[in-house]
Amino acid sequence: MNAEIPGHSPEADRPESPQPGAHTAGGPVAQGPAAVVVLAAGAGTRMKSRTPKILHELGGRSMVAHALAAARGLEPQRLAVVVRHERDRVAEHIAGLDAAALIVDQDEIPGTGRAVEVALDALAAQSALEGTVVVTYGDVPLLSTGLLRELVARHEDEGNAVTVLTAVLDDAHGYGRILRDEDGAVAAIREHKDATSDEREVREVNSGIYAFDARVLADALRRVTTDNAQGEKYLTDVLAIAREAGGRVAALVTEDRWQVEGANDRVQLQALAAEHNRRTVEAWMRAGVTVIDPASTWIDGTVRLAEDVTIKPNTQLHGQTVIERDAVVGPDTTLTDVVVGEGANVRRTDGTKAQIGPGATVGPFTYLRAGTVLGADGKIGAFYETKNAQIGRGAKLSHLGYVGDAEVGEGTNIGCGNITANYDGVNKHRTVIGAHVRTASNTVFVAPVTVGDGAYTGAGAVVRKDVPAGALALSVAPQRNAEGWTEARRPGSPSALAAAAARAEVSPPASSPTTEEGK
Ligand code: UD1
Ligand code: CA
């Protein structure tokens, strides 16, 4: 299906998925810094989770996936990720996101300085490392490639030894503070736990994101000790050491605190997710999408929307979902990897891995499971479940039913309450229904079964045998009425009294009820 995707996306400066292989021999030559080092060895105990912190998700992907996408966007010559906590699980996740990333194990020496040191050693063991090295964190998910580019440009244009990304916060508690000299130049970073009460008054904080000259960084890290309040090798100590050695140390102050905010617990994660969503929804509105209620609309960064799409309240769009022009989605709809065609209308629907054709309508209260393909101008109506079903152009499944492992031809009308009995308890079987078929209410298709073009079924038909084109399939026994049954068998009941009254009005009472029982 040709998705009409706007010329720009909310995350235009962040590739949706890193492209493994693009940086191997023969691929395009990287133009960016010598290396990016992403720190991801920390335990993240405050998440209180069996899932490692950086694997927690927002906006449809893990925190570390966001961090890698921002880093990869810089087109570094090499990218290293430092791991330790839940090493195997984290390493596997990272390899799945970015096969070209170098995974580096931190040893038992703690601290951000040690983490960077082991990364530099591993990179230098591959080949000499010269030029700019950028350091970022795996748990800072809103950081953009754009801001990293600004940091690197500033660093390289000014010929700095170190350029640190900083922000001015109302509450700087817990952060490393930026200490400046009388001239306002950055002199050092003091960790909160090591700071004096005067230093704690400083509101400019270290984001933990830096550009370094590779050689300055390697030399300084050799001189960093663990002589501090936490007994860790602090990366932050590199700034003062570089300055003492005569290097220029500078700060890039960002106004956008969200881009440097990390998630340490689930409260912060939710706040970052809400902000990510707010930015995504706003960007789509600016790109021509009507969003009735941004607060109850959640859109993953990977979703694509066309101009003049309308999203109604309480709608969640996930994964590779694509909504084409003039389509209306919601209210109360959750779509994951669903393509919605131009002008289609989808309300109160839960859908996964489905395609909805142009002009089609779905809902309310409809469950589209994987492999549902609804043709142009088709309909899947109220209280319907579909799975692995190809529904032809203009075909209608209007109310109450299940169609699975089936094919329904063009222009066919499936009556109320029809189901495909696709499962015999062991195997799944296919139902194939032709074009312009009309099925009456409560038809059951016992698969495998085929219904020819233009065929009809009678109400309540249980279709066990193939129906030829143009035939009417009837499978019900003729109806018998056991006259007077209620008065004979349920004497004195409200039903019997009502029956007697009704019969008195139309005709004299019947002589005697038959003894036959209706079944
Ligand atoms: C660090 C900075 C602090 C800054 C803050 C911003 C240091 C010494 N301090 O403090 O100045 O204001 O970040 O959030 O750098 N990590 C490792 N290996 C380690 C320790 C940490 O890879 O041994 C990783 C963590 O996974 C995390 C990042 O480094 O992604 C920061 O670690 P964290 O312990 O959160 O640092 P802070 O003490 O908050
Ligand atoms: Ca932190």
Side-chain angles (χ1 to χ4, degrees), residues 75-322:
E75 301 184 349
Q77 286 152 40
R78 287 183 282 168
L79 193 160
V81 188
V82 183
V83 300
R84 180 171 166 86
H85 178 73
E86 292 261 21
R87 190 255 176 230
D88 290 345
R89 200 168 154 196
V90 169
E92 189 188 329
H93 179 78
I94 290 166
L97 292 165
D98 189 329
L102 174 67
I103 307 224
V104 181
D105 289 291
Q106 187 170 352
D107 55 17
E108 64 290 338
I109 300 171
T112 48
R114 182 57 178 176
V116 172
E117 194 174 26
V118 295
L120 294 194
D121 288 346
L123 288 165
Q126 286 184 330
S127 65
L129 187 64
E130 268 173 49
T132 302
V133 173
V134 172
V135 173
T136 69
Y137 290 172
D139 58 358
V140 178
L142 264 57
L143 178 68
S144 69
T145 295
L147 186 54
L148 283 176
R149 263 199 215 111
E150 226 181 291
L151 179 71
V152 170
R154 173 78 179 275
H155 177 78
E156 292 179 352
D157 291 351
E158 291 181 352
N160 295 335
V162 184
T163 311
V164 55
L165 183 61
T166 70
V168 179
L169 303 183
D170 290 338
D171 179 10
H173 188 91
Y175 284 94
R177 306 301 207 284
I178 304 297
L179 306 184
R180 291 176 180 264
D181 64 18
E182 311 85 67
D183 304 327
V186 175
I189 297 174
R190 185 81 71 237
E191 289 308 294
H192 183 93
K193 285 185 177 142
D194 300 289
T196 63
S197 55
D198 276 357
E199 288 166 344
R200 287 183 182 181
E201 294 298 310
V202 173
R203 288 168 47 229
E204 185 183 4
V205 304
N206 170 29
S207 69
I209 293 151
Y210 324 75
F212 293 99
D213 174 77
R215 202 165 309 157
V216 170
L217 178 60
D219 288 346
L221 280 172
R222 254 174 251 127
R223 296 165 54 193
V224 171
T225 69
T226 56
D227 181 16
N228 52 54
Q230 301 183 81
E232 293 181 359
K233 222 169 162 173
Y234 289 167
L235 180 58
T236 45
D237 285 352
V238 167
L239 276 77
I241 294 169
R243 197 171 125 113
E244 274 159 34
R248 235 186 88 92
V249 176
L252 175 67
V253 189
T254 179
E255 302 278 300
D256 186 0
R257 69 175 180 96
W258 288 107
Q259 287 211 47
V260 297
E261 194 132 312
N264 294 307
D265 60 28
R266 297 186 200 232
V267 174
Q268 287 172 326
L269 179 64
Q270 193 283 331
L272 283 158
E275 179 60 17
H276 180 272
N277 189 61
R278 199 191 62 72
R279 290 176 182 213
T280 304
V281 170
E282 183 177 317
W284 284 119
M285 291 194 288
R286 293 196 190 288
V289 173
T290 294
V291 178
I292 304 295
D293 182 22
S296 70
T297 301
W298 290 81
I299 304 177
D300 285 355
T302 41
V303 167
R304 292 292 165 258
L305 308 174
E307 283 177 17
D308 287 321
V309 158
T310 298
I311 309 293
K312 294 191 173 178
N314 283 319
T315 293
Q316 299 89 40
L317 304 177
H318 299 303
Q320 304 302 317
T321 292
V322 174

